[in-house]
Amino acid sequence: MARGINKVILVGNLGGDPEVRYMPSGNAVTNVTLATSESWKDKQTGQMQERTEWHRVVFFNRLAEIAGEYLRKGSKVYVEGSLRTRKWQGQDGQDRYTTEIVASEMQMLDSRGGAGDAGGYQSQPDPMGYGQPQQQAPRRQPAPQQQAPQQPQQAPQQPAPGFDDFDDDIPF
Amino acid sequence: MARGINKVILVGNLGGDPEVRYMPSGNAVTNVTLATSESWKDKQTGQMQERTEWHRVVFFNRLAEIAGEYLRKGSKVYVEGSLRTRKWQGQDGQDRYTTEIVASEMQMLDSRGGAGDAGGYQSQPDPMGYGQPQQQAPRRQPAPQQQAPQQPQQAPQQPAPGFDDFDDDIPF
Amino acid sequence: MARGINKVILVGNLGGDPEVRYMPSGNAVTNVTLATSESWKDKQTGQMQERTEWHRVVFFNRLAEIAGEYLRKGSKVYVEGSLRTRKWQGQDGQDRYTTEIVASEMQMLDSRGGAGDAGGYQSQPDPMGYGQPQQQAPRRQPAPQQQAPQQPQQAPQQPAPGFDDFDDDIPF
Amino acid sequence: MARGINKVILVGNLGGDPEVRYMPSGNAVTNVTLATSESWKDKQTGQMQERTEWHRVVFFNRLAEIAGEYLRKGSKVYVEGSLRTRKWQGQDGQDRYTTEIVASEMQMLDSRGGAGDAGGYQSQPDPMGYGQPQQQAPRRQPAPQQQAPQQPQQAPQQPAPGFDDFDDDIPF
DNA sequence: TTTT
DNA sequence: TTTT
């Protein structure tokens, strides 16, 4: 349940290959950066100007696996999600904030094959129930770019890796 | 799975009380009309003009029950959904088409109590899995405006009522 | 000014080449149909089902010219706009209703060249005013598929051609 | 012109009164924070959890004046805009990044009077040109909360105030 | 810091 | 048929 609407819609290109990681639970988390840009002619100089906005997008679970499998640097993609600002500690001990888009739906826009659409959950295509949609994603075996922990359920001797461990110490 | 994006976002007021009906399966179907409007000054006459757009919105299942319970004529509401054009037969035997918004998310915007947000399925508020969101809707007993069939699971002797039976013979 | 939000976001493929027409004023009006689809596995039969939704999209003015010039049958496109239901008369004299998406923004998603983004009006890329965006569209000469009326400003002897004249007598 | 789509849609409540400032050019800039929240039941503990997301929204020019005049702490509002991440320098000389929503459209959702909808630019309500929309905003005199510079057009002796001067040295 |  |  939510009070309010928190919705982001992006169409852009990946700045690099997706980074797939695994939670102690075995769930996948995939990070990508997505570029959108706009250009205009400077009134003063008559020169064309361009500004590129870089968006940090994070996928979880099934969507993370699909993103990791099908997206590549340069891929054009539609992403729908919500804004989330995370607080983290810089090496100087200071608080930092990073805003990300937590993806709830993703769709590849390149025609080079791909996964079609993938959504966390979607509205019913067959609301009358005469045929139920199968919500399962295509599950060709993703090649994990990083090993999942071997004993994800076991209590770690060392401080448990938290979510922040999956993030660099800098916002981008 | 989808190829393409089919998304509608509306904020408007209900033209009348919701009409709740029940499928043979016992699932609820709720119809509302939603008004959005825009006004502008006529360049010629200097008069203010207003144009109201009426949207047919249909809710299914749990969302249909919530809509039927909490929405009323005049309610201001946020609706997200997708477009669907249905074909039906006029009394003259001719094909007619009606475009509706099949709601996947709804949120009341009046402060007069209400249900907060309600979505078919939503993106994870707790994607790390340390606490799972409960997707269940508030289920105060809705007062059905039309009786659900008594033996919804039983095969009907007469031709089964189809979806079109729930629609008037005119588009609005 | 508007009361309410009436917003549609589509990503889909064109069902045919755009149809460009011209108003008596000389302004372009372009119609396209856009397909979005979803597929799911039928619970009963285990068969894959697919449902395609066809959207009528109409572009006006500059956007109409860009759409007419750059879009082709099969083009993948992002369209943002609002819903508008028009009333028209069937040949039997009966009222009919057709719902269209009036596009306010369009963006080609094929990499085969194209026009980038085109919007009626967009939010400021340079809100500080140090360089003003140029809102002008690329204006290679579009090849009009239908002649504009020769004396658009002159009062017609016959009933003036209305908007409906640009529409077929059937919804799709 | 844009390559890609960068769109945010928010419905939320203001965390405080708007802060209106003026550029050297005399143009208004208004900042608000907007809360959206979601709640769920913790699977482990059975307790209700709530998470509030705070969004920094910035309005420019005419929209900034309307926001400053009509919005107040607690106001419920619809905002549409785009994401922009700004780089700024912390007091320690380190780079910091703040992500904001640059509003292009705003609509009050409280019924306590107000401004209706206000957009930077909107799609044509009357695309046929039989009556042109007036894009002018209501302009009751806003009470500036901070004086605009007295000689906005004059070249400053000191380094010209940049945009960052209008921002606090901390992200929120 | 909002709201229900 | 709504709302301001």
Side-chain angles (χ1 to χ4, degrees):
Chain A
M1 168 160 155
R3 293 293 314 177
I5 298 296
N6 175 359
K7 183 167 291 292
V8 180
I9 289 172
L10 301 174
V11 175
N13 298 283
L14 263 70
D17 284 343
E19 295 177 22
V20 185
R21 278 122 173 193
Y22 288 88
M23 303 298 299
S25 63
N27 289 333
V29 181
T30 298
N31 288 278
V32 305
T33 54
L34 209 61
T36 58
S37 62
E38 40 193 342
S39 55
W40 68 96
K41 198 194 233 174
D42 186 288
K43 206 172 45 175
Q44 318 279 329
T45 67
Q47 303 288 340
M48 286 307 289
Q49 305 289 321
E50 181 161 15
R51 172 171 160 78
T52 295
E53 188 70 36
W54 285 98
H55 308 272
R56 289 177 69 105
V57 178
V58 56
F59 303 90
F60 290 100
N61 305 329
R62 184 172 62 85
L63 215 45
E65 294 172 12
I66 299 172
E69 183 175 8
Y70 292 104
L71 300 182
R72 287 295 167 262
K73 178 175 178 173
S75 294
K76 188 185 286 297
V77 68
Y78 170 95
V79 168
E80 188 177 330
S82 59
L83 289 169
R84 187 194 57 178
T85 296
R86 282 189 302 109
K87 186 182 182 176
W88 51 284
Q89 304 272 116
Q91 290 179 314
D92 55 6
Q94 300 259 350
D95 288 344
R96 302 287 158 80
Y97 298 86
T98 297
T99 299
E100 295 166 314
I101 293 92
V102 179
S104 53
E105 182 160 0
M106 187 265 289
Q107 192 161 139
M108 289 196 59
L109 299 174
D110 301 300
S111 32
R112 17 169 161 157
D117 157 274
Y121 296 98
Q122 287 153 274
S123 65
Q124 59 280 44
D126 175 31
M128 310 316 289
Y130 294 138
Q132 209 72 313
Q134 194 211 33
Q135 294 289 4
Q136 219 129 13
R139 272 181 188 277
R140 317 184 195 167
Q141 188 60 286
Q145 292 162 246
Q146 184 187 295
Q147 274 313 316
Q150 293 306 312
Q151 302 100 342
Q153 312 304 1
Q154 194 183 319
Q157 304 285 22
Q158 296 306 110
F163 178 69
D164 284 346
D165 293 74
F166 294 109
D167 290 276
D168 300 324
D169 212 5
I170 45 168
F172 277 99
Chain B
M1 166 160 154
R3 295 287 318 175
I5 298 297
N6 174 358
K7 182 166 291 292
V8 180
I9 289 171
L10 301 175
V11 175
N13 298 281
L14 263 70
D17 284 343
E19 294 176 24
V20 184
R21 277 122 173 192
Y22 288 87
M23 303 298 301
S25 63
N27 290 332
V29 180
T30 298
N31 288 279
V32 304
T33 54
L34 209 62
T36 58
S37 62
E38 41 194 342
S39 56
W40 69 96
K41 198 194 232 170
D42 186 287
K43 207 172 45 174
Q44 319 280 329
T45 67
Q47 302 289 339
M48 285 308 288
Q49 305 290 321
E50 179 161 16
R51 173 171 161 76
T52 295
E53 187 72 34
W54 286 99
H55 309 273
R56 289 176 68 103
V57 178
V58 56
F59 302 90
F60 290 100
N61 306 329
R62 184 172 62 83
L63 215 45
E65 294 172 11
I66 298 172
E69 183 175 9
Y70 291 104
L71 299 183
R72 287 294 167 262
K73 178 175 178 172
S75 294
K76 187 185 287 295
V77 69
Y78 170 96
V79 168
E80 188 177 330
S82 58
L83 289 168
R84 187 193 58 175
T85 296
R86 282 190 303 110
K87 186 183 182 173
W88 52 284
Q89 306 271 115
Q91 291 178 315
D92 54 5
Q94 300 259 351
D95 289 343
R96 301 288 159 79
Y97 298 86
T98 296
T99 298
E100 296 166 314
I101 293 92
V102 179
S104 54
E105 183 160 359
M106 186 266 288
Q107 194 160 138
M108 289 196 60
L109 298 174
D110 301 298
S111 33
R112 17 172 161 156
D117 156 275
Y121 296 98
Q122 289 152 273
S123 64
Q124 59 281 44
D126 175 31
M128 311 313 290
Y130 294 138
Q132 210 73 313
Q134 194 209 33
Q135 295 289 4
Q136 220 130 11
R139 270 179 189 279
R140 317 184 194 166
Q141 189 61 287
Q145 291 161 246
Q146 183 186 295
Q147 272 314 315
Q150 294 305 314
Q151 301 100 340
Q153 312 302 1
Q154 196 183 317
Q157 305 285 23
Q158 296 305 111
F163 179 68
D164 284 347
D165 294 73
F166 294 110
D167 290 275
D168 299 323
D169 213 5
I170 44 166
F172 276 101
Chain C
M1 167 158 153
R3 291 296 310 177
I5 298 296
N6 174 359
K7 182 167 291 292
V8 180
I9 289 172
L10 302 174
V11 176
N13 297 282
L14 262 70
D17 284 343
E19 294 176 24
V20 185
R21 278 122 171 189
Y22 288 87
M23 303 296 300
S25 63
N27 290 334
V29 180
T30 298
N31 288 278
V32 304
T33 55
L34 210 60
T36 59
S37 61
E38 41 194 343
S39 56
W40 68 97
K41 198 193 232 171
D42 186 288
K43 206 172 47 177
Q44 319 279 327
T45 67
Q47 303 288 340
M48 286 307 290
Q49 304 290 321
E50 180 159 16
R51 174 171 159 76
T52 295
E53 188 70 36
W54 286 100
H55 308 274
R56 290 177 67 105
V57 179
V58 56
F59 302 90
F60 289 100
N61 305 330
R62 185 172 62 84
L63 215 45
E65 294 172 11
I66 299 173
E69 182 175 10
Y70 291 105
L71 300 182
R72 287 295 167 260
K73 178 176 180 173
S75 295
K76 187 185 286 297
V77 69
Y78 170 96
V79 168
E80 188 177 330
S82 58
L83 290 168
R84 187 195 57 178
T85 296
R86 281 189 302 111
K87 186 183 184 175
W88 52 284
Q89 304 272 115
Q91 290 178 315
D92 54 7
Q94 300 260 348
D95 289 343
R96 301 287 158 81
Y97 298 85
T98 296
T99 299
E100 296 166 313
I101 294 92
V102 178
S104 53
E105 182 160 359
M106 186 266 288
Q107 193 160 138
M108 291 196 60
L109 298 174
D110 302 298
S111 32
R112 18 169 159 157
D117 155 276
Y121 295 97
Q122 287 155 275
S123 65
Q124 58 282 43
D126 173 31
M128 311 315 290
Y130 294 139
Q132 209 73 312
Q134 193 210 36
Q135 295 288 5
Q136 219 130 11
R139 272 182 188 275
R140 316 184 197 167
Q141 189 60 286
Q145 291 162 243
Q146 184 187 294
Q147 274 313 317
Q150 294 305 314
Q151 302 98 341
Q153 312 302 3
Q154 196 182 317
Q157 303 286 21
Q158 296 305 111
F163 178 68
D164 284 347
D165 293 75
F166 295 108
D167 290 276
D168 300 322
D169 212 7
I170 46 168
F172 276 101
Chain D
M1 169 161 153
R3 293 290 316 177
I5 298 296
N6 174 359
K7 183 166 290 293
V8 180
I9 289 172
L10 302 174
V11 175
N13 297 282
L14 263 70
D17 284 344
E19 294 176 24
V20 185
R21 276 119 174 195
Y22 288 88
M23 303 297 300
S25 63
N27 290 333
V29 180
T30 298
N31 289 279
V32 305
T33 55
L34 210 59
T36 59
S37 61
E38 41 194 342
S39 55
W40 68 97
K41 198 194 232 173
D42 186 287
K43 207 173 46 176
Q44 318 280 330
T45 68
Q47 303 288 340
M48 286 307 289
Q49 304 290 321
E50 180 161 16
R51 173 171 161 75
T52 294
E53 188 71 36
W54 286 99
H55 308 273
R56 290 176 67 104
V57 178
V58 56
F59 302 90
F60 290 99
N61 304 331
R62 184 172 62 84
L63 215 44
E65 293 172 13
I66 298 172
E69 182 174 10
Y70 291 104
L71 300 181
R72 288 295 168 260
K73 178 175 179 173
S75 294
K76 188 185 287 296
V77 69
Y78 170 95
V79 168
E80 187 178 331
S82 58
L83 289 168
R84 187 195 58 177
T85 296
R86 282 189 302 110
K87 186 182 183 176
W88 51 284
Q89 306 272 115
Q91 289 179 315
D92 55 5
Q94 300 259 351
D95 288 344
R96 301 288 159 77
Y97 297 86
T98 296
T99 299
E100 296 166 313
I101 294 91
V102 179
S104 54
E105 183 160 358
M106 186 267 289
Q107 194 161 136
M108 289 196 60
L109 298 174
D110 302 298
S111 33
R112 18 171 159 156
D117 156 275
Y121 295 97
Q122 286 154 275
S123 65
Q124 59 281 45
D126 174 30
M128 312 313 290
Y130 293 140
Q132 209 72 314
Q134 193 211 34
Q135 294 289 4
Q136 219 129 12
R139 270 180 190 277
R140 317 184 194 167
Q141 188 62 286
Q145 292 162 244
Q146 183 188 295
Q147 274 313 318
Q150 294 305 314
Q151 302 99 341
Q153 312 302 3
Q154 195 182 320
Q157 304 286 22
Q158 295 307 109
F163 179 68
D164 285 346
D165 293 74
F166 294 106
D167 289 275
D168 299 324
D169 213 6
I170 45 168
F172 277 100

